């Protein structure tokens, strides 16, 4: 049952993120607010546009990392069982952003925070990836505490 739930979460997050990005690119979605705006932007790098000089190669580097992660999970099935939810979120967000690189030549970003300070433009996949990492860290901290007790 856990595998079906994880695959379902992966599919829903992946499709939702791709639909939103498609709408920004082809339907001209956008909104200008006082603190939060939704505007189309292309990120040729990774977080905060780092490594944008590798823009043509990043999709292959990231795909290689995903394959490496899948190989690791294949040989460490207990990790997959323990972290099924965050892994499904991590792969959904990561693969969605990688698909953007193949489809649009860059990652499609659209959420822009500019209230009090300006922050990088990001997307749903980025938030999902951060959520997955936070869940993994949380589980690591509290699993170790439980093991000590």
């Amino acid at each position: 049952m856990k595998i079906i739930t994880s695959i379902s979460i992966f599919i829903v997050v992946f499709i939702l993120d791709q639909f939103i990005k498609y709408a920004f690119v082809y339907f001209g979605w956008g909104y200008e607010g006082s603190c939060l705006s939704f505007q189309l932007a292309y990120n040729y790098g990774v977080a905060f546009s780092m490594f944008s000089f590798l823009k043509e190669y990043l999709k292959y580097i990231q795909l290689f990392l995903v394959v490496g992660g899948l190989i690791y999970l294949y040989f460490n099935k207990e990790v997959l069982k323990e972290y099924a939810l965050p892994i499904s979120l991590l792969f959904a967000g990561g693969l969605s952003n990688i698909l953007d690189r193949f489809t649009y030549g860059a990652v499609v970003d659209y959420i822009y925070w500019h209230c009090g300070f300006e922050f990088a433009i990001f997307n749903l996949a980025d938030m999902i990836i951060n959520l997955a990492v936070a869940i993994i860290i949380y589980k690591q901290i509290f699993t170790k505490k439980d093991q000590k007790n």
Side-chain angles (χ1 to χ4, degrees), residues 82-83 85-86 130-146:
E82 178 68 27
Y83 295 94
L85 172 64
N130 286 315
L131 175 63
V133 170
I135 293 169
I136 291 168
I137 291 169
Y138 177 86
K139 287 179 73 73
Q140 281 288 301
I141 290 170
F142 287 100
T143 301
K144 292 193 185 227
K145 280 186 180 180
D146 289 343

Side-chain angles (χ1 to χ4, degrees), residues 75-91:
F75 289 107
N76 295 281
K77 290 181 178 56
E78 69 281 351
V79 173
L80 183 57
K81 287 178 186 173
E82 178 68 27
Y83 295 94
L85 172 64
I87 288 170
S88 64
L89 293 172
L90 190 63
F91 275 78

Side-chain angles (χ1 to χ4, degrees), residues 30-141:
Y31 167 78
E32 191 67 36
S34 58
C35 285
L36 185 66
S37 297
F38 297 97
Q39 61 188 44
L40 176 63
Y42 293 98
N43 184 354
Y44 296 95
V46 292
F48 306 105
S49 296
M50 292 185 300
F51 306 115
S52 58
F53 64 93
L54 292 171
K55 64 181 173 184
E56 187 57 38
Y57 304 103
L58 276 174
K59 58 188 167 194
Y60 300 111
I61 294 168
Q62 291 174 327
L63 206 51
F64 176 76
L65 291 171
V66 167
V67 170
L70 286 171
I71 291 168
Y72 173 82
L73 291 171
Y74 177 78
F75 289 107
N76 295 281
K77 290 181 178 56
E78 69 281 351
V79 173
L80 183 57
K81 287 178 186 173
E82 178 68 27
Y83 295 94
L85 172 64
I87 288 170
S88 64
L89 293 172
L90 190 63
F91 275 78
L95 287 172
S96 183
N97 281 345
I98 292 170
L99 180 59
D100 287 0
R101 292 186 188 284
F102 282 97
T103 306
Y104 306 110
V107 174
V108 175
D109 287 334
Y110 50 84
I111 303 170
Y112 177 46
W113 176 269
H114 53 83
C115 191
F117 63 94
E118 294 200 17
F119 194 72
I121 298 178
F122 54 97
N123 60 41
L124 176 64
D126 297 336
M127 293 187 299
I128 293 297
I129 291 167
N130 286 315
L131 175 63
V133 170
I135 293 169
I136 291 168
I137 291 169
Y138 177 86
K139 287 179 73 73
Q140 281 288 301
I141 290 170

